[in-house]
Amino acid sequence: MPISSVTMLDDRTTAETTWPTAYPQGYAVVDVETTGLARDDRIVSAAVYRLDAQGNVEDHWYTLVNPQRDPGPVWIHGLTSDVLAGAPLFKDIAEEFAGRLADRVLVAHNAIFDWQMIAREYARAETTAPVRQRLCTIALSKELNLPLPNHKLESLAAHFGVVQQRAHHALDDARVLAEAFRPSLHAAAQGGVRLPLLECRPLTEWSDSAATPRVGHQASYRGGSWRPSRKRPPCPHPNPGRFEDGKPLKQGMRIAFSGDTSVERELLEDRAVEAGLHVATSVSRLTSLLVTNDPDSATSKTVKAKSFGTPVVDEAAFTQLLRDVAPAGD
C-alpha cells in the first residue's frame, strides 16, 4: 500500500519534494559522550538539535554532565575529571533534556547505543525519557543505498559535504548529524522510502559502578588520560566453540572484527577482553563470531567467515550480547 503524501517546496534546493504524510512531525538529533559502553557507564555530555518535519533546524542545546565517577576515555571525548567536577548531575538536567526530546523521534548514529545510555540515566533518575521512537542514521543510509565506504559519521558527513570541526564533541557531532540527516530525509521522501523507525521502550535494567568488575561488565577506567593498551594479555579461558544464535556469549570465545564501527574499535575490543573474550586478529575455523557492519563486503575476514560458516553479527547486536557474557564452563 503506497504511502500517502503531500507536495511541498524545498526552500533550499527549490525542487519539489513529495513529502509522505506518514513521516514524523519533528526530530531530536542527539549525541552523547560517555564514560564507556557498559550498563554502569554514564553520560558526560549531551547535545540535541531539534528539527522540524522537513529536517530544518529549530534550535540546539548542549550540556556537560558530572558522571560521579572517572570520565573514562578522555583521549576520545576530551573531558577530564576537573572539567566535569562543576557540571550538573544528570538528574539536574533531566527535565530540560526531556523537554527537547518530547514528541519527537530520536535520531542518532548507532541510535541503539545513545538510546540505551539515555534511558538508563532516566531510570537512575527514577523517571522515563519521553521518547517513543528512534531512527538510526546508519540504518537510513542503508535504506537509501548511499555509496559510503563505511558506517562512520565522518563518512556520512563527507558524502553530503558536511565539515566536521570537533569529532567526539557532542555538540559538533550532533550538528554534523543534523546537517547530514536533512538531505537523507529529503532523499527518503523523494524516493518514497519508509523510514526505519524503531520503538523505544523504557529501560529498568541498569547498575551503578561496581566495586569489582562482574562477568560481562566493563571495568572503570582510571586516571584522567586513560588510553587502551594495544598489547593485551592472552585470554585465560579455553575456547568453548562457536556462538549460537539465541544463546549468550561465553568467556573464551574468539571474537574477530571486520570493517569500521561507529563506536571506537579499541573500546569495543577492550570491552570484549574485559568480559573474558579473546579478540582475534584473523578469522579461522576456531573463530566463534565475526562482528561486522558490512557482512556482504569482500574483506578477507568476511570471505573466510562465509567459507567456514562462522556466525556473523553487527555492532549493535554485539554490544547487546556484551551485556551478559556467560562464565567459562557454563
Side-chain angles (χ1 to χ4, degrees):
M1 188 175 185
I3 301 175
S4 59
S5 62
V6 296
T7 299
M8 62 166 288
L9 190 66
D10 183 331
D11 60 355
R12 297 191 188 186
T13 63
T14 64
E16 282 194 345
T17 299
T18 301
W19 208 261
T21 55
Y23 275 23
Q25 295 303 301
Y27 305 88
V29 178
V30 173
D31 185 76
V32 297
E33 297 299 318
T34 68
T35 62
L37 309 177
R39 279 181 294 189
D40 60 347
D41 277 300
R42 307 296 300 272
I43 290 175
V44 295
S45 65
V48 181
Y49 267 74
R50 290 196 291 190
L51 312 181
D52 66 15
Q54 287 78 46
N56 300 310
V57 175
E58 294 177 337
D59 59 26
H60 64 267
W61 172 80
Y62 170 76
T63 184
L64 296 177
V65 181
N66 185 339
Q68 298 180 287
R69 53 161 287 178
D70 57 286
V74 175
W75 63 277
I76 293 178
H77 54 59
L79 300 174
T80 64
S81 296
D82 290 342
V83 170
L84 296 171
L89 303 180
F90 187 86
K91 65 180 181 180
D92 298 326
I93 58 95
E95 184 176 354
E96 184 170 6
F97 196 1
R100 295 177 179 277
L101 299 175
D103 302 319
R104 295 171 185 268
V105 170
L106 184 149
V107 178
H109 206 63
N110 191 19
I112 188 172
F113 172 75
D114 293 80
W115 162 243
Q116 288 182 344
M117 295 303 298
I118 291 168
R120 289 193 184 105
E121 289 287 10
Y122 274 95
R124 292 185 184 95
E126 300 181 343
T127 185
T128 302
V131 179
R132 299 294 173 264
Q133 289 181 308
R134 67 179 184 270
L135 187 156
C136 179
T137 47
I138 294 175
L140 180 57
S141 67
K142 291 180 179 179
E143 291 289 336
L144 296 174
N145 293 314
L146 299 182
L148 305 179
N150 53 56
H151 297 298
K152 288 188 174 183
L153 176 58
E154 63 188 52
S155 297
L156 181 64
H159 177 77
F160 290 112
V162 180
V163 177
Q164 187 159 33
Q165 298 169 349
R166 297 182 63 185
H168 301 299
H169 184 284
L171 183 60
D172 196 57
D173 280 353
R175 175 193 62 81
V176 168
L177 189 57
E179 292 184 17
F181 175 63
R182 185 177 188 278
S184 297
L185 182 63
H186 280 248
Q190 289 169 350
V193 175
R194 290 187 181 274
L195 298 180
L197 301 174
L198 294 176
E199 181 184 3
C200 286
R201 297 181 179 180
L203 298 181
T204 57
E205 187 178 345
W206 58 274
S207 64
D208 288 317
S209 296
T212 56
R214 297 192 299 276
V215 172
H217 282 251
Q218 179 178 346
S220 295
Y221 302 124
R222 302 300 176 191
S225 59
W226 175 87
R227 189 180 182 90
S229 171
R230 293 182 181 276
K231 186 176 182 180
R232 301 182 176 94
C235 181
H237 310 293
N239 185 356
R242 287 184 172 177
F243 166 74
E244 296 181 42
D245 188 32
K247 295 184 178 181
L249 293 169
K250 291 185 179 180
Q251 287 185 322
M253 282 187 170
R254 296 176 64 91
I255 311 298
F257 294 85
S258 178
D260 290 288
T261 53
S262 58
V263 174
E264 290 288 333
R265 169 75 72 83
E266 289 180 78
L267 278 179
L268 287 175
E269 291 181 349
D270 275 14
R271 176 86 200 284
V273 169
E274 289 163 356
L277 303 172
H278 174 92
V279 174
T281 57
S282 61
V283 171
S284 71
R285 296 184 186 278
L286 299 177
T287 303
S288 305
L289 181 69
L290 175 67
V291 180
T292 178
N293 288 322
D294 295 294
D296 297 324
S297 65
T299 66
S300 61
K301 290 181 181 178
T302 55
V303 170
K304 287 183 178 179
K306 289 179 181 178
S307 67
F308 296 146
T310 304
V312 178
V313 300
D314 63 17
E315 176 186 355
F318 181 66
T319 302
Q320 287 280 69
L321 288 168
L322 278 177
R323 292 170 54 189
D324 292 291
V325 177
D330 276 15

